[in-house]
Amino acid sequence: MTTHAPGATPRHYLMCEPTHFTVSYEINPWMDPTRATDTGLAVQQWRTLRDTYLDLGHTVDTIEPVPGLPDMVYAANGATVVGGMVYSARFRYPQRQAEGPAYQKWFADRGYVTHTAASTNEGEGDMLVVGDLVLAGTGFRTERSAHAEAQELFGRPVISLELVDPRYYHLDTALAVLSSDAAAPQIAYYPPAFSPGSRCVLAQLFPDAILADDDDAAALGLNAVSDGQHVVVAPRAVHLADALRDRGFTPLPVDTSELLKGGGGAKCCTLEIRV
Ligand code: ARG
């Protein structure tokens, strides 16, 4: 099927350099603290990712990395920002809990209205904006009550989706938003990561979605970042890249293999600021 990608729109991202990146604890199946990590390589790959966004004309802000928070590079988990309103993260595991206030302070210091979450939620890791909707994951990290909280704060419909495969513990590991174009919003997802009911919901809302295969998903190909035209995607997600090209998107392979050791890819490293 060939449709036309509606084109790029300028984006504003927040990122955190992996200065203190390592895998020293295990909170998802990708993490193995006995395996060596190369912080220098992680920084190099992260800079390539940042430069890719800058070359595309996007704005990239950075937050100061905090020693002792090796997962802080996964900025997507820091908050969800819609209409200039910041719904702060409240992390499930104690190892990451200090990240929530660090990100909230970054936004507050810059004059954003921030909302301190009552429910556990891991920011954009589990909340993806597509058009006027927010797709929200639950099952491993973010509580369902956070979905209601976000709906009340943003005044947008929040669609709850149940994740069932521990490898795809955040929504952004199993689903990518490609275009928020009002006429034809587009997503890609990996159906086996979702409960039967959630699969039905996705099929109803997005009948033309790209369905990723096992290999694309295992390469964290769905942890992709799209500006509506260019899609930054893991190089090993080759079928997904073909499907993107067929739909008129431009896949841009960026290797974030070192950050995959922590269970994250390009999207995990990228928090979108929507004003
Ligand atoms: N090690 C991190 C964790 O398990 C990885 C987070 C990846 N971020 C994401 N947006 N999926 O929490």
Side-chain angles (χ1 to χ4, degrees):
M1 189 181 92
T2 302
T3 49
H4 289 285
T9 53
R11 308 290 170 126
H12 185 181
Y13 298 130
L14 176 61
M15 299 179 73
C16 180
E17 192 164 88
T19 317
H20 310 293
F21 175 73
T22 186
V23 177
S24 54
Y25 50 82
E26 194 177 335
I27 56 172
N28 71 52
W30 304 81
M31 301 174 86
D32 175 1
T34 64
R35 198 165 151 220
T37 48
D38 181 339
T39 305
L41 179 59
V43 169
Q44 208 179 302
Q45 293 179 337
W46 179 91
R47 288 185 181 162
T48 302
L49 178 65
R50 179 201 55 194
D51 292 348
T52 303
Y53 297 142
L54 293 173
D55 289 346
L56 289 169
H58 303 312
T59 303
V60 179
D61 280 326
T62 53
I63 179 173
E64 194 61 37
V66 177
L69 297 177
D71 275 340
M72 196 171 166
V73 59
Y74 304 113
N77 299 130
T80 306
V81 188
V82 179
M85 279 175 292
V86 180
Y87 179 48
S88 295
R90 194 181 170 98
F91 284 83
R92 159 115 195 248
Y93 293 109
Q95 294 95 330
R96 296 197 69 186
Q97 261 152 20
E99 292 182 46
Y103 277 92
Q104 186 168 7
K105 182 175 184 319
W106 188 92
F107 283 103
D109 286 350
R110 283 154 188 82
Y112 288 87
V113 179
T114 71
H115 174 88
T116 304
S119 304
T120 300
N121 83 89
E122 299 200 348
E124 276 202 341
D126 275 320
M127 294 209 189
L128 297 173
V129 177
V130 52
D132 294 330
L133 299 179
V134 180
L135 304 178
T138 187
F140 297 101
R141 302 288 181 92
T142 297
E143 291 178 301
R144 229 169 239 275
S145 53
H147 301 178
E149 214 181 335
Q151 175 163 289
E152 211 43 50
L153 179 68
F154 299 138
R156 298 209 187 182
V158 175
I159 310 289
S160 293
L161 300 167
E162 180 93 28
L163 297 162
V164 295
D165 181 334
R167 286 176 305 164
Y168 307 110
Y169 56 93
H170 276 144
L171 183 63
D172 71 356
T173 61
L175 187 150
V177 174
L178 302 172
S179 169
S180 276
D181 182 63
Q186 290 192 62
I187 66 166
Y189 66 99
Y190 178 58
F194 295 91
S195 69
S198 297
R199 281 194 223 181
C200 289
V201 169
L202 287 169
Q204 268 177 62
L205 290 174
F206 303 99
D208 298 324
I210 295 174
L211 302 182
D213 65 19
D214 295 355
D215 295 340
D216 291 330
L220 272 197
L222 290 162
N223 201 248
V225 179
S226 174
D227 66 9
Q229 174 63 51
H230 312 96
V231 184
V232 174
V233 64
R236 288 199 295 117
V238 286
H239 300 131
L240 179 61
D242 287 344
L244 289 166
R245 253 180 243 108
D246 282 351
R247 309 279 179 123
F249 291 99
T250 311
L252 298 178
V254 175
D255 187 13
T256 48
S257 55
E258 202 53 30
L259 295 159
L260 194 61
K261 292 180 182 171
K267 173 67 192 94
C268 295
C269 297
T270 313
L271 170 55
E272 184 164 351
I273 302 176
R274 301 177 192 80
V275 288

